[in-house]
Amino acid sequence: PLAVVGFGLATFNGPVFWGALFLFITNLTTIALTATAMARLYGFSTNLTERGSKYQNIGMVTAFVVLAVPLFLSLQTIAWEAQAQRVIRDRVSDVFDGRAENVDPQIEFQSDLVNVSATVYTNELFDRAEVEAEAARVLERELGRPVEVTILQIESADAREAQLAQLGDY
């Protein structure tokens, strides 16, 4: 993480810098607090008074809580985004009524908006504006956030071959 901190600083990339710095501080603090707790558990004593030991314990618990809150919030965001990716892939596919062979969404999560750019391989081309509007409506309802959808439809080779075969039968 410390090497990534340097990289983020050198490239002026704030999210990389702050994320790696927080990870480094979390690792360092957790290792130090765990070592202290294990030393106490094994009976290594300090020259602290009972009152000093009490403050040290309170400090350790406070440090764990201070680290746990942002880590919990980050984990919650990561879990929501993972769930949202699955929902987006499934719902964009559903908009094509089972005629989409492969949906490849590229998702960008912003603070108040979800941008979805999907490449869909389908047997039949649909009206772009209709499928984008329907996908956005469905996704906004399921995700509870505004969604902007752009869909690139590619007619699959299997579908073209089937159409050519049908034309050959006439």
Side-chain angles (χ1 to χ4, degrees), residues 3 11 28 36 42-43 45-46 55 60 62 66 68 77-79 81-82 90 104 109 123 128 170:
T11 60
L28 181 68
T36 302
Y42 281 106
S45 62
T46 64
Y55 285 132
M60 287 180 8
T62 303
V66 167
T77 300
I78 291 167
E81 288 179 1
D90 292 346
D104 181 26
F109 296 100
N123 296 331
R128 180 179 177 182
Y170 291 106

Side-chain angles (χ1 to χ4, degrees), residues 57-80:
N57 289 338
I58 290 171
M60 287 180 8
V61 169
T62 303
F64 272 122
V65 169
V66 167
L67 288 174
V69 170
L71 288 174
F72 173 77
L73 295 174
S74 295
L75 182 60
Q76 192 175 26
T77 300
I78 291 167
W80 184 87

